[in-house]
Amino acid sequence: MATDTAAPAAMKVDGSALAGRALAAAGARHMFGVVGIPVTSLASRAAAAGVRFLAFRNEQSAGYAAAAYGFLTGSPGLLLTVSGPGCVHGLAGLSHATANAWPLLMVSGSCSQPDAGMGDFQELDQIAATKPFVKIAVKATTIADIPRLVFQALAATVSGRPGGCYLDIPSDVLHQTLTESEAAALIDAAAADSAKSDSSPPKHKSLDEGIEKAAELLRRAERPLVVFGKGAAYSRAEDAIRKLVDTTGIPFLPTPMGKGVVPDTHPLSATAARSLAIGQCDVALVVGARLNWLLHFGEPPKWSKDVKFILVDVCEEEIELRKPHVGIVGDAKRVVELINREIKDQPFCLAPSHPWVEAITKKARDNVLKMKAQLAKDVVPFNFLTPLRIIRDAILAEGNPAPVVVSEGANTMDVGRAVLVQNEPRTRLDAGTWGTMGVGLGFCVAAAVAEPDRLVVAVEGDSGFGFSAMEVETLVRYQLPVVVIVFNNNGVYGGDRRSPDEITGPYKDDPAPTSFVPAAGYHKMMEAFGGKGYLVETPDELKSALSESFRARKPAVINVIIDPYAGAESGRMQHKN
């Protein structure tokens, strides 16, 4: 008996197995990446320990998947890359996660430590390479470091303002071994140390005072507005914000990925009256959204010069940077709950007949009617509005749980934001704070594994789709319920947009920099891997393809032919191009 119990304890565990077990022990359930030297075994060992590994064709797409997974679940997404160029490719997803304040841990193998500086295979100072994009970057120099650093890095991704972190595990460390009992002891110790640390944000002295000031400002405001973003969605603040809107009657405005925190169809939605709402409000409660370019920096002329901002953010530095009238450092859900509690003691409610509410609802209604008239027309060859209306209706017909909508592209994303409807939180994923193109297929995989009960519908421009199109094979390989709709207008923004003076010189006969092969058969890419492809050019063809693909819940690509001149250069950002 003594021999039998001692034998397992004496078994050797290498760094790959220890890393996989530590990730599982820390609560990780999914990992995205591309395998190769020196991390192939790590992926397999992690899967054996209970962390599902989803293998991609490109580290960039895998990184975008890990970032979106962090947003959708609230738990860190994991990205695994090989050394050197694999790490560099992974920086796209890592930096995207940090820019959007989503938790992501990138784990990369690196060259053997004894050979560093000698030109080893794929040698790179990966700590230096990742530092500009992360909260922390740490390196395991021995196998014994791995569990502690796994727990430390994962905790850092979600503390304070969420973001990316990096863990470097050199090749020699992955091949080091220790005994089974030593491995278990190291993981237990790391877990115990992590449990001791208080991950809850500190209560700032000004919190109670800030809550009181916020409630009083809203109560006295003549034209109040609630603005919320994806930070509110990430913190699961939807019930608290919906209660605030319903009890106070204050109109609200979501940022693009904040859509659905309160249903788009709510009567107090100011989305269709955005310019009026931000231009004339006198008090704006901004929750889980930064006053960056998406919100015109909170400055005139888009905003009134006299507007008073109540800014709720998990990051104290953000409050100090923006210098709002009232700054509250804290989790969006918790802070709005406290504001609700404060308002409850002295309740107030703007009636539908209140001049501000009437102005917002009238402007929104007028704009919706204008859009409705445009959407009612069946335009063939397709413009953007006709197919988006058909897609909107098909998505809404799915009921609950609503599909997750992934959207990228200049015109496709911007027009889609106005047409597609989100009535549930965390059901819209788009280019985000950084305006990142190429996120689409990675986001699709993340949504499918994070929300297995939901259909995933990607509405992609042909340019955006092209960044990650090879991942349709990943969709087929894992049989994920994803329908990718490609708006095919022959290029970036559409057809040749050059002025005559630009079509000169020795290469004037080359295609325009914005041009692609006309009417490319994107649907055939999906068919090549065994998925379903559709080519559509009319409303009836699109309706049929959507009905069949949504019902099947299998990987599909619907190639929608759009008039190349239907859109505008740079979507709604022409002035910046």
Side-chain angles (χ1 to χ4, degrees):
M1 291 293 293
T3 302
D4 291 339
T5 55
M11 289 176 61
K12 295 296 183 181
V13 177
D14 68 7
S16 294
L18 185 61
R21 293 186 194 183
L23 288 166
R29 292 296 173 264
H30 292 91
M31 179 187 285
F32 311 88
V34 177
V35 296
I37 296 172
V39 297
T40 304
S41 179
L42 198 164
S44 297
R45 295 293 187 177
V51 182
R52 187 185 187 191
F53 184 79
L54 291 109
F56 277 69
R57 303 299 293 263
N58 180 283
E59 289 97 348
Q60 289 188 17
S61 291
Y64 296 140
Y69 182 90
F71 169 65
L72 291 169
T73 66
S75 299
L78 294 180
L79 168 62
L80 180 67
T81 82
V82 302
S83 50
C87 172
V88 171
H89 292 165
L91 294 180
L94 186 63
S95 54
H96 182 81
T98 298
N100 284 282
W102 295 347
L104 182 154
L105 175 60
M106 177 165 133
V107 180
S108 296
S110 59
C111 74
S112 182
Q113 293 176 101
D115 298 328
M118 299 173 65
D120 193 18
F121 176 68
Q122 295 186 336
E123 182 178 341
L124 173 70
D125 184 349
Q126 294 169 198
I127 294 292
T130 56
K131 268 189 175 178
F133 308 108
V134 297
K135 300 174 71 176
I136 64 167
V138 293
K139 184 173 187 173
T141 57
T142 71
I143 188 172
D145 292 337
I146 292 175
R148 172 178 57 83
L149 294 181
V150 163
F151 276 85
Q152 177 189 344
L154 283 171
T157 66
V158 294
S159 66
R161 166 163 282 163
C165 292
Y166 175 69
L167 171 59
D168 189 285
I169 311 180
S171 176
D172 57 303
V173 174
L174 288 168
H175 288 92
Q176 289 174 7
T177 62
L178 38 65
T179 65
E180 186 75 39
S181 58
E182 288 171 330
L186 285 168
I187 292 173
D188 288 346
D193 288 344
S194 180
K196 287 177 190 173
S197 62
D198 183 10
S199 60
S200 60
K203 181 176 180 180
H204 292 260
K205 294 178 182 178
S206 61
L207 180 61
D208 291 339
E209 181 183 351
I211 296 295
E212 292 172 7
K213 285 183 177 179
E216 188 61 20
L217 264 179
L218 292 170
R219 184 178 291 111
R220 293 181 178 275
E222 294 181 7
R223 299 178 302 280
L225 181 69
V226 178
V227 180
F228 48 82
K230 59 180 175 290
Y234 173 83
S235 73
R236 272 59 181 171
E238 54 265 20
D239 290 344
I241 292 176
R242 176 70 183 266
K243 180 179 180 182
L244 176 66
V245 168
D246 286 343
T247 57
T248 64
I250 298 176
F252 67 89
L253 179 70
T255 64
M257 272 189 277
K259 281 165 63 70
V261 166
V262 180
D264 284 349
T265 51
H266 193 286
L268 288 170
S269 173
T271 297
R274 188 177 192 273
S275 296
L276 173 67
I278 67 175
Q280 294 189 19
C281 69
D282 60 351
V283 173
L285 170 63
V286 182
V287 183
R290 302 174 74 181
L291 292 174
N292 57 17
W293 68 276
L294 285 162
L295 288 173
H296 312 290
F297 311 107
E299 296 176 351
K302 295 293 186 179
W303 294 84
S304 165
K305 63 181 177 62
D306 299 318
V307 63
K308 293 180 173 66
F309 285 107
I310 304 165
L311 187 56
V312 178
D313 201 285
V314 293
C315 180
E316 189 167 12
E317 288 78 8
E318 181 72 14
I319 302 279
E320 292 172 354
L321 174 67
R322 305 297 177 183
K323 295 179 173 53
H325 193 79
V326 176
I328 305 175
V329 180
D331 171 75
K333 178 182 177 182
R334 177 62 176 155
V335 170
V336 178
E337 287 174 342
L338 291 173
I339 291 174
N340 282 331
R341 185 185 301 174
E342 184 72 20
I343 288 173
K344 185 179 179 182
D345 294 336
Q346 289 182 273
F348 68 93
C349 184
L350 306 186
S353 59
H354 187 282
W356 173 238
V357 177
E358 270 197 335
I360 293 288
T361 53
K362 181 181 184 303
K363 186 66 173 177
R365 184 170 58 250
D366 290 347
N367 286 341
V368 167
L369 287 173
K370 289 177 185 176
M371 176 69 81
K372 188 175 182 180
Q374 291 179 287
L375 289 170
K377 303 170 186 174
D378 278 344
V379 178
V380 180
F382 278 144
N383 59 9
F384 285 87
L385 292 175
T386 297
L388 281 167
R389 181 203 78 221
I390 296 168
I391 293 165
R392 177 201 65 189
D393 293 346
I395 290 172
L396 288 173
E398 288 293 294
N400 298 321
V404 175
V405 174
V406 175
S407 186
E408 63 176 331
N411 294 281
T412 307
M413 181 177 68
D414 288 333
V415 180
R417 187 181 299 147
V419 176
L420 302 178
V421 175
Q422 263 69 52
N423 286 327
E424 297 179 40
R426 297 170 295 282
T427 56
R428 179 180 172 84
L429 295 167
D430 66 21
T433 301
W434 240 16
T436 310
M437 290 298 132
V439 296
L441 273 291
F443 279 9
C444 287
V445 175
V449 299
E451 299 281 355
D453 294 332
R454 296 184 191 266
L455 176 69
V456 180
V457 181
V459 185
E460 303 265 305
D462 52 357
S463 175
F465 175 68
F467 283 88
S468 60
M470 194 63 184
E471 301 300 344
V472 297
E473 186 271 337
T474 306
L475 301 181
V476 175
R477 190 169 3 114
Y478 291 101
Q479 282 297 292
L480 300 175
V482 176
V483 176
V484 181
I485 305 165
V486 182
F487 276 46
N488 185 352
N489 62 355
N490 298 347
V492 183
Y493 315 132
D496 189 343
R497 304 296 176 105
R498 293 175 295 178
S499 59
D501 65 303
E502 293 177 301
I503 311 175
T504 59
Y507 305 110
K508 61 183 175 60
D509 293 328
D510 276 357
T514 56
S515 296
F516 298 153
V517 171
Y522 297 119
H523 58 294
K524 292 187 177 296
M525 287 186 65
M526 178 60 90
E527 291 174 348
F529 296 113
K532 182 70 175 177
Y534 303 86
L535 175 65
V536 306
E537 299 183 67
T538 68
D540 286 343
E541 289 173 349
L542 179 55
K543 290 174 185 176
S544 175
L546 291 169
S547 175
E548 184 178 312
S549 60
F550 282 18
R551 188 167 58 251
R553 298 178 75 89
K554 297 283 187 181
V557 167
I558 303 175
N559 188 9
V560 183
I561 303 301
I562 303 290
D563 180 349
Y565 297 96
E569 181 184 2
S570 302
R572 296 181 183 176
M573 303 283 287
Q574 299 98 312
H575 61 290
K576 290 187 178 289
N577 206 352

